[in-house]
Amino acid sequence: MITLRGLTKHYGRKRVVDELTFDVAPGRVTGFLGPNGAGKSTTMRMVLGLDRPTSGEALVDGRRYAELRHPLREVGAVLDARSVHPGRDARRHLLAMARSNGIPDARVDEVLGTVGLADVAGKRAGAFSLGMGQRLGIAGALLGDPGTLLFDEPVNGLDPDGVRWIRQLMRSLATEGRTVLVSSHLMSEMQLTADQLVVIGRGRLLADAPVTEFVADDRAVHVRLPDPGERQTLAHHLTGEGLAVEERGGGELVVTGGTVEGVGDLAHALGLRLHGLTADAVSLEQAYLRLTANEVEYAAPAAGRRAGR
Amino acid sequence: MTATIGPPRGGGLPGAVHSEWTKLWSVRSSWWTVLAAAVLMLGYTALAATAVPVMAEHGDPEAATVSAPGLAVNAVFFLAQFPVLALATLFIAGEYGTGAIRSTLQWVPVRGRVLTAKCAALLPALCGLGVVLTGAALALAVPLMGGAGVPLTAGEAVRTALAIGGYFVLLGAFALGVGTALRSVAGALTVSFVALLALPMLCSALGLTAVLDYLPGVAGVNLMLGEGTLNDLTGQPVPYARWVAALVLGCWSAAALGAGAAVLRSRDAG
């Protein structure tokens, strides 16, 4: 469980993180989204005690990170791959890490096997590819078998197999009841892994909601009817229910504010012939872009207006 | 995930020291600096010792004043201390260059403990290095001097070895402090060079001879030479006992460590 309360960070006069308050609950994957520079990494660094908050606090299981007696046994984190000395080999990097927190040396080979680096354990970290560096970071995060895990842009530099592997890893970690916070600037990535989404822009909280709710809110339904008359009938009834309907070429209606199920049931009740009925697959991405675009467009946006919905 | 990590054993300060010890010897630069210190120390002492019988043959009166400990101290101050300085500086300031400091502080989030652990891992090793290198240098110098120069007693050999070991400890502590405060290898090395070498020259040039013996570099040489021995840096005999010299240099090291600890506590990880 990660708890942020009014977490704020200024660098000089620039507010990088601005009054962030939200919880990251155990047992699910929480996606931490925002454009580059939104403050995701800084927030994670404050959770790990690397950066000191200007005000507010970041707690892990109710305690500040620095108060944890064996922090690596409670919090695992993958920040950037450049936090490893390039001249040290992978095994001894992890050995030094394990010894700092009273973790047995044998655990090192175990996690090296888990992430698939056993064969290159004696190789200097500086000679690793970006993907191998990410795997080394993940090995470190898993080392202490922690209940809370933070991943900062973990799929960067991974090949498609690696991406699939890390998605499964995050899902299984959450299923085991751990708290998993994953940052990304790609909504499409989060759509596949996250249960809960926290979106920030310019350091402010824009949204904190389950993925399903995100989708339901803005999902457009595309329905295709070959008969123009029947199209008019359906459009009329949908508008009557308060939904926005837009007619497109190819006999397609785009319905926003409704669900696939609702539109389908209505067409069935009216006895209309359909040639297609789909929900907009990328609407989550669009919802996210709309959310963050607002942050960029207006100098003084109503922060928190969408928060906590 | 199979988790065979067992209950916590260790961690805390002992864990942090063990971790730093592992880090120290798992990068090549540490081994290179130790090798460089050994080569410079033994190479200089051997060359200088070889010259002593030649000087004596040519009737040079200075030959009679040369002692094996004196040669070893010169080897340390003018050559061998610099790899030691580099080792200590890289040990902390190097982490800021590579970004490894973020890992270090994530593993050991209590800031003061990181610096304590680095001292506890590095300084005993430096002490051992100083003692061993001095022993080897003296063992090399005495036969090469072939009876010329000041005869070496066993007591003087032991005192010199311990004093050089002590100098390496205080020098390492000073460099760790400066490196933590400045967070840059280049910056820290520059400051250390100035403090050890340039400051005595500057003070001499300005006629501030009274402060010379209280500068870190001069106090270090005084520590290694012992009371009453002629110090080439000041041109004067060492005015105080070895423990006073250790105290003077120790104050410099403590000040540097204090500055480093203050910076480490107050600033973000970097």
Side-chain angles (χ1 to χ4, degrees), chain A residues 52 65 82-83 96 102 110, chain B residues 4 9 19 98 103 106 265:
Chain A
R52 185 196 301 270
Y65 186 83
R82 288 177 298 110
S83 51
E110 214 171 87
Chain B
T4 53
R9 274 172 305 171
S19 176
T98 60
S103 292
Q106 190 191 328
R265 278 207 189 85

Side-chain angles (χ1 to χ4, degrees), chain A residues 9 11 45 48-52 65-66 68-73 75-77 79-80 82-89 92-93 95-97 99-104 107 110 124 142-146 173 176 178, chain B residues 1-16 18-20 22-29 31 94-95 98-111 113 265-270:
Chain A
K9 179 71 181 177
Y11 288 125
R45 287 165 58 99
L48 295 171
L50 294 175
D51 287 4
R52 185 196 301 270
Y65 186 83
L68 303 173
R69 169 119 177 83
H70 297 97
L72 298 181
R73 290 169 172 270
V75 185
L79 296 182
D80 57 327
R82 288 177 298 110
S83 51
V84 176
H85 192 297
R88 194 170 287 122
D89 62 76
R92 284 191 286 182
H93 167 74
L95 268 182
M97 189 174 184
R99 289 166 178 172
S100 69
N101 275 245
I103 297 164
R107 174 72 179 156
E110 214 171 87
R124 294 160 71 236
L142 298 177
L143 191 66
D145 192 25
L173 290 168
E176 288 164 358
R178 299 173 210 262
Chain B
M1 188 162 71
T2 50
T4 53
I5 70 165
R9 274 172 305 171
L13 182 60
H18 196 183
S19 176
E20 290 300 340
T22 309
K23 282 159 68 180
L24 178 60
W25 301 115
S26 57
V27 289
R28 281 182 215 163
S29 62
W31 295 100
E95 289 203 0
T98 60
I101 189 69
R102 290 191 286 274
S103 292
T104 300
L105 293 176
Q106 190 191 328
W107 307 349
V108 182
V110 183
R111 299 282 172 100
R113 188 180 291 163
R265 278 207 189 85
S266 60
R267 290 190 58 185
D268 289 339

